[in-house]
Amino acid sequence: TQQFFRPTKAIIDLQAIQQNVKNLKEFLRPNVQIIAVVKANAYGHGDVAVARAALKAGATVLAVATPDEALHIRAHFEEPDILILGASPVSFAPYAAQQRIILTAFADDWIQQAASLLVDEALPLRLHIKIDSGMGRIGIRSEQELLELYQTIQSTDHMELDGIFTHFATADEEDTLHFDQQVQFFEKCLAVIPNKPRLVHASNTAASLVKDPHLQYDAVRFGISMYGLSPSSYVKSILPFPLLPAFSLESELVHVKQIKSGDPVGYGATYVAPTDMWIGTIPIGYADGVIRKLGGQEVLIDGQRMPIVGRICMDQCMVALPKAYDIGEKVTLIGRQGNTGVSIDEWATKLETINYEIPCIITTRVPRTYL
Ligand SMILES: Cc1ncc(COP(=O)(O)O)c(CNc2conc2O)c1O
C-alpha cells in the first residue's frame, strides 16, 4: 500500500460500522435483509472496507449509485448482490448481466433497448422496478405505468424482475403526512402486480429506525446510520439503539510560532493578533474538503478546543494556540480527544448543511485509514 508522508488522514473505525449493522440486524423483524448503502465511496468512508465490514456484520446486499461504483465493488467482491440505485445507461445492461449487477428500471423504452443488447448473454439481467411515490427523482408514478413495465419485463427474454422499491423523502421528519401518502401509493403498487418479486424494499435508515416494522418489507437500505450518524435531529431524539460514529479526521502541527499583537495571519491579512500569541499551522485546507466557510471552526489539540484563525488556504490553515506546542502535536479536526469532541454534526451545523455531506466532501487527497 502507498506510504503517505503528510500527517493528514481520515480514520475509519470499522468496528463501529460493524456494531451499527449488528444493532440494526438485531432491531429489525427476523429475516429482513440489510442492503448496505456504500455509494459515494461509502459516504466518504471507503467503499471496499465498509462493504467488507457490513457483509461481515450481516448485510447481504451492497447498494451503489452508479455503474462505475458497481464495477469497482464487483472487482473486490465475487459473491454479494450489488444493486445500482440510480439510472444506468442502456449500454451498461450487458455488463450488468455478466457481472451479476442488479439495475433499477423505471422506463419502458429503456427495457426495450436493453433487451436488444442482451441477446447473447448467458446470465439474465436482474432488475428492481423503482416506484416514485413522492420523491420526485426517478421511478414510475402510476399503477398503469407500473403494470406496463411489469408486463414488458415479464415478456422480455434475458431479464428477470428481482425486486421493487421506493424511496422516502421525509422519513426523517416528525410530520408524517407526505410519508403516509408515499406508503399508500407504494402499497397500491404492490397490490397491482400479479406476483411479488424476491425483494420488496422501501425504508432508508430513518424509516427503518422509527417507522412501522411492516415497512421493512423484505429488506431495508441502510446508509447514514451505518456510519454512526443520525438522519436528522428528530430521529436522533428517538433512536432505538445508540449509533457509533465511524469517521475521524486528524493531522499534526507542522509549524508553531509566536506572533506579536497586531501581526496578521492568512490571506487578506483578515486576522490580526489581538495580543502577543502562539499560532500553529496544520497541513490541511480547502482542497482536502476543509472549505473556507469553516473559518473559525474549533479543532482539538491537547484535549482542548482551539479556533482556526485567518482564511483557510488550499492546503493549510492556522490555529490559535494557548501556548507553544512541539511540531508533530496531534490535531483532531473531527473526532475525540479525551472527553472533548468535535462531531460531523457540529461541522454540518456550522456549514448550514446536513451531516451526510461532510464525509462526502473530504477529498481523495485525504487518505482513508482503518481501525
Ligand atoms: C435510493 C436510496 N436508498 C437508500 C438511501 C440511504 O439513505 P440513508 O443514508 O438515509 O439511510 C439513499 C440515500 N441517498 C441520499 C442520501 O443523501 N442524498 C441522497 O440522495 C438512497 O438514495
Side-chain angles (χ1 to χ4, degrees), residues 37 39 43 85 130 137 165 167 204-206 221-225 231 354 356:
V37 183
K39 65 193 175 90
Y43 294 25
L85 297 169
K130 179 71 185 291
R137 196 164 59 179
F165 70 110
H167 189 48
N204 55 4
T205 291
R221 299 189 304 279
F222 194 44
I224 193 69
S225 293
I354 56 173
Y356 292 70

Side-chain angles (χ1 to χ4, degrees), residues 118-174:
L118 291 167
V119 288
D120 300 331
E121 290 312 321
L123 294 172
L125 173 62
R126 286 183 296 165
L127 298 171
H128 286 199
I129 291 178
K130 179 71 185 291
I131 309 287
D132 176 1
S133 57
M135 177 71 192
R137 196 164 59 179
I138 55 173
I140 62 96
R141 291 167 65 93
S142 74
E143 293 106 303
Q144 182 54 39
E145 246 185 297
L146 169 58
L147 265 183
E148 279 163 18
L149 197 65
Y150 180 90
Q151 301 301 356
T152 304
I153 295 172
Q154 293 302 343
S155 59
T156 305
D157 294 339
H158 310 290
M159 285 186 183
E160 189 180 295
L161 183 62
D162 179 64
I164 184 167
F165 70 110
T166 196
H167 189 48
F168 295 126
T170 62
D172 62 350
E173 297 177 10
E174 188 160 13

Side-chain angles (χ1 to χ4, degrees), residues 97-313:
Q98 290 154 22
Q99 299 284 339
R100 295 176 301 104
I101 293 166
I102 302 170
L103 300 187
T104 291
F106 51 91
D108 214 79
D109 52 5
W110 186 96
I111 301 289
Q112 317 269 5
Q113 291 165 35
S116 65
L117 298 180
L118 291 167
V119 288
D120 300 331
E121 290 312 321
L123 294 172
L125 173 62
R126 286 183 296 165
L127 298 171
H128 286 199
I129 291 178
K130 179 71 185 291
I131 309 287
D132 176 1
S133 57
M135 177 71 192
R137 196 164 59 179
I138 55 173
I140 62 96
R141 291 167 65 93
S142 74
E143 293 106 303
Q144 182 54 39
E145 246 185 297
L146 169 58
L147 265 183
E148 279 163 18
L149 197 65
Y150 180 90
Q151 301 301 356
T152 304
I153 295 172
Q154 293 302 343
S155 59
T156 305
D157 294 339
H158 310 290
M159 285 186 183
E160 189 180 295
L161 183 62
D162 179 64
I164 184 167
F165 70 110
T166 196
H167 189 48
F168 295 126
T170 62
D172 62 350
E173 297 177 10
E174 188 160 13
D175 183 287
T176 66
L177 180 66
H178 184 70
F179 180 85
D180 295 341
Q181 289 166 344
Q182 289 199 250
V183 170
Q184 199 177 17
F185 181 67
F186 187 56
E187 290 281 345
K188 274 202 291 189
C189 290
L190 295 178
V192 301
I193 54 174
N195 302 304
K196 185 189 87 66
R198 176 177 74 100
L199 283 184
V200 174
H201 48 108
S203 292
N204 55 4
T205 291
S208 306
L209 297 181
V210 305
K211 297 293 185 181
D212 177 344
H214 162 67
L215 301 177
Q216 296 165 17
Y217 296 109
D218 302 313
V220 299
R221 299 189 304 279
F222 194 44
I224 193 69
S225 293
M226 172 165 65
Y227 305 102
L229 301 169
S230 177
S232 66
S233 48
Y234 165 63
V235 170
K236 196 171 189 172
S237 69
I238 54 171
L239 284 172
F241 54 83
L243 299 177
L244 304 177
F247 190 95
S248 300
L249 182 61
E250 291 184 3
S251 189
E252 295 174 0
L253 294 180
V254 293
H255 184 51
V256 175
K257 61 176 174 288
Q258 189 168 27
I259 62 174
K260 294 270 177 259
S261 174
D263 285 355
V265 173
Y267 283 117
T270 57
Y271 179 78
V272 174
T275 70
D276 293 4
M277 64 186 290
W278 289 91
I279 294 286
T281 303
I282 314 167
I284 193 169
Y286 61 74
D288 300 298
V290 182
I291 60 174
R292 296 171 78 248
K293 199 175 172 190
L294 276 164
Q297 172 61 47
E298 290 173 326
V299 302
L300 304 178
I301 295 172
D302 192 18
Q304 298 163 55
R305 296 173 69 97
M306 302 177 192
I308 291 172
V309 292
R311 287 180 179 162
I312 292 171
C313 312

